[in-house]
Amino acid sequence: MIVKYIAITGGVISGIGKGITAASIGAALQSYGLDVEVLKIDPYLNVDAGTMNPNQHGEVFVTDDGYEADLDLGHYERFLNRDMTKFNNITAGQIYSSVIQKERAGDYLGATVQMIPHVSNEIKARLARLKGDVILIEIGGTVGDIESEIFLEAVREFSMDVGRENFLFVHVTYIPYLKITNEFKTKPTQNSLQLLRRTGIVPDLIVLRSEEKLPESTIQKVALFGGVKIDSVFGLEDVSNIYSIPQKIHDEGMDGMIMHKLNITPSKSFEWHYPDFIRDVKIAMVGKYLATDDAYKSVLESVFLCGYKKPELIDAESLENLDQKHVRDKLGRYHGIIIPGGFGKRGIEGMINVIKYARENDVPLLGLCLGMQLMTIEYARNVAGLAGANSTEFDPQTPYPVIDLMEDQKRKMNLGGTMRLGSDEIKILSGSRLYEIYGKETVKERHRHRYEINLEDFKNIFKISSLDKSDKLFISATSKFAEAVELQNKKFFIGVQFHPEYRSKISSPHPIFLNFLKTCEKE
Ligand code: GLN
C-alpha cells in the first residue's frame, strides 16, 4: 500500500484539543485495520520537553526508551493502545542543533546554510523515515506562530514530494461563542484559514472545536470561507468523555471522508470501545502544579481509564502548616489519596502531612515517584523516630538523608535528559501486596527521577524480605534500586518509584490504579 499522510494544523488558539482530535482520528483509522504511525512536531526550541515546567506546558510524558516528550504522546499511547518512542516526536531544538552540528562538521560543503532548504530538508528527512499505512503528523502550536512556519513549509514541500493525492491537510480550529449576542463567531477561523493559505496549504478537511454543538449555518460559513465543500467541515463540540471522540468521528462520517479522500480501502469495519460507566469514588490528588489541568494528565487519565471519576486536585501548600485535625477536615470526604510526582521543595511538607493522616487513619494512599519518596520520609520521621529525616533534594543538611541523589547523578552537570529515564525491569517480591496486584515477579515500568531511597545507610528501618514478619515499611520491589514501598497492615499504602501512569492504555488500565481504586470503592 502507498503510504498516506495526514497533517494536522491548529487554528486560533492552542489548547483546544488538537492532540486529542489527532489521536482520535488515528484511533478511528486504526480500528479499520490500518497501521497508523504518529509524529508530533513541537516548534519550541527546547530539545525535548524534559526541562519544561508542568505549570506552563503540562506534564512531561516519558516513553519506554526514556524520551521526555510533550503530553500529546501520552494521548497517542492511550488512544492507539501502543507505545511511542523518541521517533514519534521532533522539536525545533532537535532540528536546529542537528543542522548546526552538520554545518560545523562541514557537511554542507561551503553552502550558505538557510532555513530553506537546509532546515526544511532536515525536517523532511525525519518525516520520510516514518513507516506505516497512515502517518499522522500533528504540528504543535497555531498557524501564524513564527516558530511553526518552517515546519508548515517542510510539510507542504513533503506533500508535493509524496504526491498531493497521498496527503491530507486537516485544520483543527476554534469557534468561540458570544453569549451577549447568542452567536458563534467564525472570524478568528477565517483569519486562521487565511494564514494557513499564505503558507501554501489549503486544508482538505476542517474540524471546528466549540463548547456547544454548532448550527449548520456556522458550518456553511466556514466551508465558504475555507474553500472546502460543506461535507468536509466537521463540528466537534466538547464532550465529557474524550474517549468517545473516535466514535463521534465515525458517527459524523469523518473517518469515511478521510479514507475516501486518501483512496484507502479498509480491511475491517470500524470498532471502538471505551469506558462509559464512570464510578463516583472521590479521590484527592495532593499536588503542587495547579496552573493547568494538564500538569498531571496521565494520572487523571489512568484513573478515568479504570472507569472511575478523575481525582480532585488539592494544593499541597495549603496543607503545609495544618494540624492533623484540619487535614482531616480538608480530606475526610475522600475515599483515597494520590500523591503524584514532582520536583523541588515547594509543597512537600503539606504532602507529608497528608501521608501521616492517611497512614494513621488507614485511608488508601498511592504515592507516585515523589509520592513514594515522601512516604518513606514520613515513615522515617514518625515511625522510625528519625526526626528531621528528609531527601537531600529538599534539605541538603538533613541529619537523616533517607532519600538521596542516585550515585551516577552526582557526576551529571546538565539538567536536560540526564535523569534515570525510561523503562527498566523490576523484580516484585513475593508475599508483597504489589505481587498480588501484578500477579508476576518481573514487570517493566518507566522512570523519571534523580533521587532514590538510601538503603545503604538506612537498611535497618525497612523490611527487605517477606520472611521478616514485622510491620516495617516493606521495600516490595527492587531492581538496582528500591522500586516500591508498602505497609502491609494497611488497606492500601503503596508508593512506587516508577510511573505506572505512563503505561495506562484504553484497553488496559494499569493494575496498580485498578487495585487502588477498587480498594477506595470499598471505603
Ligand atoms: N524529585 C524526585 C526525584 O528527582 C521525584 C521525581 C518525580 O516525581 N518524577 O527523584
Side-chain angles (χ1 to χ4, degrees):
M1 186 177 145
I2 302 167
V3 184
K4 306 286 177 175
Y5 296 86
I6 302 173
I8 297 170
T9 54
V12 183
I13 45 173
S14 61
I16 53 170
K18 177 155 49 80
I20 288 174
T21 307
S24 299
I25 291 176
L29 294 177
Q30 185 172 272
S31 91
Y32 285 101
L34 295 163
D35 177 9
V36 175
E37 182 57 303
V38 191
L39 181 72
K40 170 77 199 291
I41 295 179
D42 284 309
Y44 45 69
L45 290 175
N46 305 58
V47 170
D48 59 40
T51 55
M52 291 169 115
N53 185 337
N55 260 338
Q56 277 173 33
H57 199 78
E59 91 177 352
V60 176
F61 188 81
V62 179
T63 56
D64 269 342
D65 61 346
Y67 180 71
E68 291 174 290
D70 187 88
L71 57 80
D72 275 323
L73 254 60
H75 296 315
Y76 289 119
E77 287 212 354
R78 288 186 289 270
F79 275 84
L80 297 178
N81 206 19
R82 46 164 278 232
D83 295 331
M84 297 284 131
T85 71
K86 60 178 183 230
F87 298 113
N88 295 106
N89 181 222
I90 56 176
T91 70
Q94 287 166 20
I95 298 293
Y96 292 134
S97 50
S98 156
V99 169
I100 289 167
Q101 261 174 35
K102 285 186 184 167
E103 186 278 328
R104 291 290 78 185
D107 289 358
Y108 295 118
L109 299 172
T112 308
V113 181
Q114 294 181 297
M115 295 298 277
I116 305 171
H118 300 97
V119 175
S120 50
N121 280 349
E122 187 70 31
I123 299 167
K124 287 202 287 180
R126 307 282 181 113
L127 301 180
R129 71 184 179 196
L130 297 163
K131 305 254 177 303
D133 297 333
V134 181
I135 316 279
L136 277 176
I137 304 166
E138 181 197 342
I139 304 170
T142 39
V143 292
D145 295 347
I146 285 188
E147 290 96 334
S148 54
E149 225 151 84
I150 189 65
F151 290 100
L152 292 171
E153 166 62 17
V155 170
R156 186 195 64 79
E157 287 177 21
F158 189 72
S159 74
M160 309 307 280
D161 298 349
V162 300
R164 190 62 179 83
E165 67 284 6
N166 299 317
F167 218 97
L168 199 77
F169 284 99
V170 179
H171 191 55
V172 181
T173 172
Y174 179 60
I175 304 283
Y177 170 70
L178 261 197
K179 209 167 162 190
I180 201 107
T181 52
N182 182 28
E183 58 180 344
F184 289 97
K185 303 302 276 183
T186 62
K187 185 69 79 194
T189 289
Q190 293 175 34
N191 290 341
S192 94
L193 286 164
Q194 269 181 20
L195 282 170
L196 187 64
R197 272 200 296 263
R198 225 178 278 171
T199 67
I201 295 172
V202 180
D204 300 291
L205 225 84
I206 301 174
V207 178
L208 304 177
R209 289 278 301 111
S210 58
E211 278 161 50
E212 303 288 338
K213 193 168 170 55
L214 292 171
E216 194 60 19
S217 57
T218 305
I219 308 248
Q220 266 167 7
K221 202 164 174 184
V222 173
L224 187 66
F225 282 99
V228 297
K229 284 198 188 141
I230 189 152
D231 62 4
S232 299
V233 184
F234 294 90
L236 216 56
E237 66 275 8
D238 287 355
V239 287
S240 55
N241 182 347
I242 54 167
Y243 300 99
S244 67
I245 298 176
Q247 184 65 51
K248 189 167 166 59
I249 280 176
H250 176 69
D251 295 344
E252 305 270 323
M254 199 198 300
D255 51 359
M257 181 55 84
I258 289 173
M259 291 191 291
H260 169 71
K261 288 191 186 249
L262 285 172
N263 204 8
I264 295 172
T265 319
S267 58
K268 288 200 320 197
S269 48
F270 175 85
E271 196 183 343
W272 180 246
H273 304 284
Y274 60 95
D276 58 354
F277 175 71
I278 306 303
R279 294 172 188 82
D280 187 9
V281 171
K282 289 189 180 51
I283 306 296
M285 179 156 66
V286 181
K288 55 195 265 180
Y289 307 119
L290 302 151
T292 152
D293 275 3
D294 281 350
Y296 299 108
K297 196 78 195 164
S298 291
V299 180
L300 299 177
E301 297 306 326
S302 292
V303 171
F304 192 80
L305 286 176
C306 292
Y308 291 82
K309 231 177 91 180
K310 288 181 186 170
E312 286 171 35
L313 192 53
I314 295 184
D315 180 6
E317 274 184 291
S318 74
L319 298 161
E320 229 157 40
N321 295 313
L322 298 187
D323 58 30
Q324 285 293 305
K325 182 187 165 307
H326 287 97
V327 174
R328 179 196 292 269
D329 286 348
K330 289 217 168 186
L331 294 179
R333 66 191 195 89
Y334 293 99
H335 303 111
I337 301 168
I338 296 177
I339 312 276
F343 295 83
K345 195 174 158 67
R346 188 174 60 84
I348 63 137
E349 289 302 327
M351 299 185 202
I352 290 176
N353 234 347
V354 170
I355 294 167
K356 182 172 192 302
Y357 160 77
R359 184 179 53 76
E360 289 180 346
N361 297 283
D362 203 2
V363 179
L365 175 73
L366 172 61
L368 305 169
C369 203
L370 173 72
M372 174 261 208
Q373 297 177 356
L374 298 181
M375 285 162 81
T376 307
I377 293 168
E378 193 278 333
Y379 177 84
R381 286 184 192 174
N382 300 329
V383 181
L386 306 179
N390 215 330
S391 163
T392 49
E393 179 179 5
F394 317 125
D395 178 7
Q397 311 306 332
T398 171
Y400 303 111
V402 288
I403 306 290
D404 199 6
L405 201 57
M406 299 164 84
E407 205 42 49
D408 68 334
Q409 291 290 329
K410 295 181 179 158
R411 295 179 295 277
K412 293 196 172 148
M413 306 296 283
N414 279 343
L415 285 186
T418 52
M419 278 185 253
R420 178 189 181 202
L421 288 167
S423 192
D424 264 338
E425 201 167 274
I426 294 168
K427 191 168 179 296
I428 310 293
L429 264 59
S430 68
S432 67
R433 185 66 193 281
L434 212 54
Y435 184 84
E436 276 169 38
I437 291 175
Y438 279 111
K440 53 184 170 188
E441 250 176 40
T442 41
V443 297
K444 277 190 155 185
E445 294 286 357
R446 298 180 195 175
H447 299 80
R448 182 173 188 248
H449 64 118
R450 272 199 183 86
Y451 293 80
E452 61 168 328
I453 292 185
N454 177 358
L455 259 190
E456 206 170 289
D457 297 332
F458 296 95
K459 214 177 202 132
N460 59 333
I461 70 166
F462 300 107
K463 165 172 165 173
I464 44 177
S465 142
S466 29
L467 297 175
D468 177 349
K469 295 289 170 224
S470 72
D471 287 337
K472 286 181 181 172
L473 191 67
F474 184 19
I475 309 266
S476 53
T478 57
S479 59
K480 256 166 57 191
F481 312 95
E483 295 278 5
V485 296
E486 63 183 71
L487 277 179
Q488 297 193 289
N489 56 355
K490 303 285 173 204
K491 286 182 210 132
F492 194 108
F493 189 94
I494 297 180
V496 288
Q497 184 59 83
F498 46 87
H499 292 270
E501 69 271 24
Y502 293 144
R503 285 213 307 118
S504 301
K505 309 264 191 308
I506 183 130
S507 56
S508 51
H510 197 286
I512 292 184
F513 281 96
L514 205 53
N515 193 285
F516 167 68
L517 292 158
K518 280 189 177 148
T519 311
C520 297
E521 200 172 5
K522 289 189 207 127
E523 285 295 284

